[in-house]
Amino acid sequence: MVRLFGPLVGLFFAVALLWSFGNGAYVAITEPAAPTAEKLFHKHPKEVEFSFNGAFGKFDNQQLQRGFQVYKEVCSNCHSLKQVAFRNLADLGYSEPEVKAIAKQWATKAKTFDAKTGDAGERDNLPADHIPPVYYAGQGSPPDLSLITKARHEGSAYVYSLLTGYQDQPAELLKQFPDAKTPEGLHFNPYFANLNLAMPAPLTDGGVTYADGTKATVDQQAKDVAAFLTWTAEPKLDKRKQTGWAVLGFLLAATVLAYLAKKNVWANAH
Amino acid sequence: MSFPWANEYKPSHPLMQWLDEKLPLPRFVYNAVGAGYPVPRNLNYMWNFGVLAGVCLMIQIVTGVILAMHYAANTGVAFDSVEHIMRDVNWGWMLRYAHANGASAFFVVVYIHIFRGFFYSSYKAPREMIWLLGVVIFLLMMATAFMGYVLPWGQMSFWGAKVITGLFGAIPLVGEPLQQWLLGGFSPDQAALNRFFSLHFLLPFVLAGVIILHIWALHIPGSSNPTGVEVKQESDTVPFHPYYTAKDGFGLGVFLILYCAVLFFAPNALGHPDNYIAANPLSTPAHIVPEWYFWPFYAILRAFTSDFFFIPAKLMGVLAMFSAILVWFFLPWLDTSPVRSGHYRPLFRKFFYLLLVDVAVLGYCGGAPAAEPFVMISQIAAAYYFLHFLVILPLVSSIEKPQPLPYSITEAVLGTDEGAVLNANPAAA
């Protein structure tokens, strides 16, 4: 039975697939797919050197603090960072009083609700609070940035490339796709998936003043905030790699012993 | 267990003798994975992957049970509860990465285990039941993995659930009500997430039960081996312990090194970035793709782009995708060659490697966007997939002239079978 019906079922699926293939091939030949502006002009993120790249890479706390400053003074006008609590900032090397001060001085206050009276109110943020959400009423919908570097391919380089990638629309693009002119209110950026985004170039040279004296070029700020957002997405990166080396070291030793044991046991059986 | 020369369990300590009379658990272990279970002496490293699959299931259950202590199956907080695990739970990041990459490791190991079965025709008599149970295990694994991927409630979780449950909607007449019944609604939402969590917790234990049957069925005829020649005599076997415990120990070490290298140094390499975006029913991702281990079957599903007579393309895709796995159930009766091992089947071997390439091509197309040329490539590859199992295998097994087999496993290992008794020790004999 199996030998009789098996080949019939096989031929049934094969013929149906060849039918689909034939139709697809016919369409592909008669109406070749036209290239799109996104396909031709979208760019992959730039190559960037970060201190945390590679198996031995680590966060640079100075850089993370600078990146946090960029987030606080620029990004946080529109973008939330809701997975991060103020207490987490201690990881960047801030002392306890500094963390308390950062929380207390945060512009958006923590919302309170008195269950007894039903009154809504505000209070200063505490280290235990998460960074308050940002409500944005303008055009576009700024995403929460907590996980942005893990939510994009090559996320750290992507954030850096996007922030430094604003430019005029290439003449070549407009020549090939006259309809693809960047609409009013949007901004051209080849690193963004569909080339045009609502966010204007957010960084300017000297837009922030770094406490450690680093020159705040757009490139420097973009790199620092990309590093900071890598930390917000993967705060345990340093510990993960450190643990990984210890685990691999142990496993390597154990596996060598296991190999010798195996060789010993099998010595007389081959 | 089944061979007359198997060592007998003889406890020497009075406590063990007492225990053996009341509850012979040590005897059971001794006969299952101890010195009381004779195993062919010529198993190569391809035979390590059954044990490794068992280890993977244990890793998944241990990490999964702990993750479940911190996870909340509620659409409002599921995504944030996973981030809570990653940030605030002690070693939570390691547990979650171990679990997510553990699923991938489990599939890598099981795919090698299955293709080992293809090459050495491990499905042939008298081992058909082991094979059938193995296919059931694979189906349960797929269901478990799919539901687990929904739990973080990211974009790919949501849209993956939407696409896969949508497949049931392609069934004529009952499709749509069936889909709504499965989801508990019109779209994946609270009801679906909650039941997926419940089933994701349940199924691994069902899996463990079927694995026990799988191993039980294995212990009746014993393992197959690279020659495909059955065990004839004591010199063809060695006791499981210490020979294969030692070999599995080394294999386990190599496996753990590779697994931990991914876990600690590239934990998101096999995942999809979109799943770090919280589920949003109003925003469809540009490319909805399942996890890599479903790609070959996803390619088959998407390969049907034209209606076939009165059958809609979508239904054809669903039928084909399920048939692509169900066809494995019939393998013992499709391949009728009396020779098991691919080493002695020159024509079969060529087609085996072609199948390997074919599945890799299907996998690549399944992960690629649904555009040309990938669709056309996957159509040819999917057609070959079905022809391989249902037309080529039966044909090959009837026309092929296999190469001569060794007389016994002993001959295959030592070059000659005479006087080859392992551990020959006149004093003990």
Side-chain angles (χ1 to χ4, degrees), chain A residues 55-260:
Chain A
F56 293 99
K58 274 179 161 169
F59 285 129
D60 167 3
N61 275 356
Q62 279 296 311
Q63 183 176 42
L64 296 188
Q65 292 195 6
R66 291 196 302 269
F68 170 62
Q69 188 185 347
V70 175
Y71 169 75
K72 190 173 79 170
E73 294 179 18
V74 184
C75 315
S76 73
N77 287 314
C78 310
H79 292 277
S80 297
L81 201 63
K82 63 174 185 171
Q83 303 292 351
V84 179
F86 288 104
R87 65 184 154 81
N88 297 138
L89 295 172
D91 290 3
L92 308 188
Y94 290 113
S95 67
E96 209 180 309
E98 282 173 322
V99 170
K100 273 186 181 162
I102 291 169
K104 193 176 160 64
Q105 289 155 15
W106 200 261
T108 313
K109 300 294 163 196
K111 302 273 181 289
T112 58
F113 177 75
D114 189 328
K116 214 161 181 178
T117 61
D119 291 335
E122 283 188 345
R123 63 161 167 76
D124 288 340
N125 290 289
L126 298 169
D129 291 324
H130 279 232
I131 294 182
V134 179
Y135 297 97
Y136 181 78
Q139 192 191 2
S141 42
D144 184 276
L145 293 182
S146 317
L147 286 161
I148 203 77
T149 54
K150 287 204 304 203
R152 299 288 183 276
H153 283 287
E154 301 167 55
S156 313
Y158 169 82
V159 168
Y160 168 80
S161 306
L162 190 82
L163 291 175
T164 54
Y166 284 89
Q167 54 187 262
D168 292 333
Q169 226 173 354
E172 184 68 16
L173 191 158
L174 288 173
K175 214 170 88 187
Q176 280 188 49
F177 305 95
D179 295 342
K181 191 168 161 32
T182 301
E184 193 62 36
L186 296 187
H187 308 270
F188 182 80
N189 193 321
Y191 298 97
F192 193 68
N194 69 11
L195 307 181
N196 301 300
L197 74 166
M199 175 171 78
L203 303 176
T204 50
D205 283 325
V208 299
T209 310
Y210 285 138
D212 65 1
T214 309
K215 197 159 180 286
T217 59
V218 167
D219 192 79
Q220 185 66 41
Q221 293 175 57
K223 217 172 155 182
D224 292 344
V225 81
F228 172 69
L229 291 176
T230 306
W231 171 79
T232 62
E234 185 82 355
K236 304 292 160 77
L237 181 141
D238 283 355
K239 190 169 191 193
R240 167 160 67 73
K241 289 178 184 173
Q242 197 189 335
T243 312
W245 284 115
V247 168
L248 285 187
F250 168 79
L251 283 175
L252 208 62
T255 305
V256 167
L257 289 179
Y259 175 71
L260 294 175

Side-chain angles (χ1 to χ4, degrees), chain B residues 78-151:
Chain B
F79 186 84
D80 289 341
S81 78
V82 171
E83 280 308 310
H84 159 71
I85 290 169
M86 293 295 285
R87 290 154 196 271
D88 297 331
V89 174
N90 291 331
W91 296 95
W93 58 271
M94 190 171 80
L95 287 169
R96 172 162 174 265
Y97 280 151
H99 197 71
N101 288 293
S104 283
F106 202 171
F107 273 96
V108 169
V109 164
V110 162
Y111 275 128
I112 296 174
H113 194 57
I114 291 171
F115 275 86
R116 192 285 315 271
F118 286 156
F119 184 82
Y120 293 102
S121 306
S122 302
Y123 43 78
K124 279 183 190 164
R127 297 183 182 80
E128 304 97 313
M129 186 53 77
I130 312 170
W131 178 260
L132 298 179
L133 289 165
V135 181
V136 172
I137 289 170
F138 183 66
L139 289 169
L140 281 169
M141 272 179 69
M142 293 181 91
T144 311
F146 161 66
M147 287 191 257
Y149 193 62
V150 176
L151 302 184

Side-chain angles (χ1 to χ4, degrees), chain B residues 234-280:
Chain B
E234 186 170 3
S235 65
D236 291 344
T237 65
V238 290
F240 190 88
H241 180 73
Y243 288 92
Y244 285 105
T245 42
K247 196 166 179 173
D248 283 333
F250 172 54
L252 178 63
V254 174
F255 164 77
L256 286 177
I257 287 175
L258 297 174
Y259 167 60
C260 288
V262 176
L263 195 171
F264 288 104
F265 296 101
N268 293 307
L270 297 168
H272 198 292
D274 277 21
N275 228 28
Y276 279 110
I277 304 170
N280 180 356

